[in-house]
Amino acid sequence: MNQDPLLAGLAALAADPPEGLLDRIAARWVRVPGPIGELAVAFTDQGVAYVHEGDGFAEAFRKRFARPLLPAARPPAGLLPALRTGRPSGLRLDLRGMSDFQREVLEAARTIPRGEVRPYAWIAERVGRPRAVRAVGTALARNPVPLLIPCHRVTRSDGVVGEYVFGPAAKERLLLAEGADLERVRELAGRRVFYLASDTTGVVCFPTCHNARRITPRHRHGFRSVAQARAAGYRPCRTCEPARAA
């Protein structure tokens, strides 16, 4: 990687810059193993700022963030476990430069449990913009830290996984590795079933919700909409909140 002109200018100063100045100006970067191959990760003094796959990492980072990059001796604490488990709790993220709406969308996606999916409409409702489904998709496509904020767990309501920053095939691979039964989701969607209810609990869920996965076949009932399930006497699950996508 060629030296950044700004860093070269700092190196030419007659006196040493104040302590911590370089970390406020530049980002550090490392290459680390990830669930879909090697990743390049940039981080600042505020947290992980960018996760990228393949070539062109430095150019893409500078174009987006306008900050120089320096190689790091080691990844930030918590990064490798977060990538390995898909649970980045405690890992600091640097989301500066994003709009309030973008940040709210990413924070909503961050709440989706491993092995589960939610439709784009669920995110839109959760952030208080129920008609902004397309804008939600755009915000997720701009996610600077995929895998750490699991935008791959947001899918289309018709059972199709949808687009992803690393490609649809990688998105499906990630979901399958997490235990999401995509074949089942697609099979149900083909029958226009988007919600599953239990006649023992009286609760209706998204098909990938951990509560729905416990429903035995004899007690399982499928519905096209939450309204249809409510009319049949079921109440929305408090865990997966299917009413948000109604």
Side-chain angles (χ1 to χ4, degrees):
M1 186 181 296
N2 295 329
Q3 185 176 16
D4 190 280
L6 178 56
L7 297 180
L10 286 173
L13 291 174
D16 290 336
E19 185 177 355
L21 174 63
L22 189 57
D23 285 329
R24 292 197 297 272
I25 294 174
R28 307 281 177 170
W29 77 281
V30 290
R31 291 196 183 276
V32 296
I36 53 174
E38 187 179 67
L39 299 167
V41 178
F43 56 97
T44 70
D45 56 337
Q46 300 297 308
V48 177
Y50 196 48
V51 176
H52 191 274
E53 180 191 40
D55 298 330
F57 161 71
E59 181 180 354
F61 178 85
R62 288 169 179 155
K63 182 178 180 180
R64 183 163 179 173
F65 298 98
R67 297 184 69 160
L69 280 166
L70 284 171
R74 63 183 65 85
L79 174 62
L80 295 180
L83 289 171
R84 185 173 62 252
T85 64
R87 298 182 178 93
S89 57
L91 181 68
R92 296 172 64 211
L93 302 177
D94 185 352
L95 300 179
R96 290 176 296 176
M98 307 200 76
S99 69
D100 290 342
F101 174 74
Q102 289 173 318
R103 194 176 292 108
E104 288 170 3
V105 166
L106 295 183
E107 289 300 332
R110 202 174 184 179
T111 67
I112 304 172
R114 179 182 173 88
E116 299 186 24
V117 298
R118 303 286 186 270
Y120 292 94
W122 183 88
I123 298 282
E125 177 65 34
R126 190 177 177 98
V127 301
R129 299 272 297 277
R131 297 184 180 180
V133 176
R134 190 179 296 273
V136 163
T138 300
L140 292 172
R142 293 280 296 166
N143 179 8
V145 286
L147 301 173
L148 300 177
I149 292 182
C151 54
H152 63 278
R153 297 176 191 159
V154 185
T155 62
R156 285 171 35 175
S157 58
D158 60 2
V160 176
V161 295
E163 296 300 318
Y164 184 50
V165 63
F166 297 147
K171 184 175 186 176
E172 182 156 339
R173 199 165 86 218
L174 285 166
L175 291 171
L176 291 173
E178 291 182 352
D181 191 346
L182 298 181
E183 196 59 42
R184 176 67 168 158
V185 170
R186 284 190 282 260
E187 186 269 328
L188 290 169
R191 295 192 279 117
R192 308 298 293 166
V193 171
F194 304 107
Y195 304 92
L196 295 176
S198 166
D199 62 20
T200 58
T201 64
V203 170
V204 61
C205 302
F206 286 117
T208 59
C209 176
H210 69 274
N211 292 320
R213 294 201 294 262
R214 292 201 295 261
I215 306 172
T216 58
R218 64 179 294 189
H219 295 291
R220 184 188 302 135
H221 303 273
F223 294 94
R224 182 173 182 175
S225 67
V226 173
Q228 187 183 54
R230 276 179 161 154
Y234 295 95
R235 66 185 185 277
C237 174
R238 293 181 180 178
T239 302
C240 67
E241 301 180 298
R244 289 190 180 276

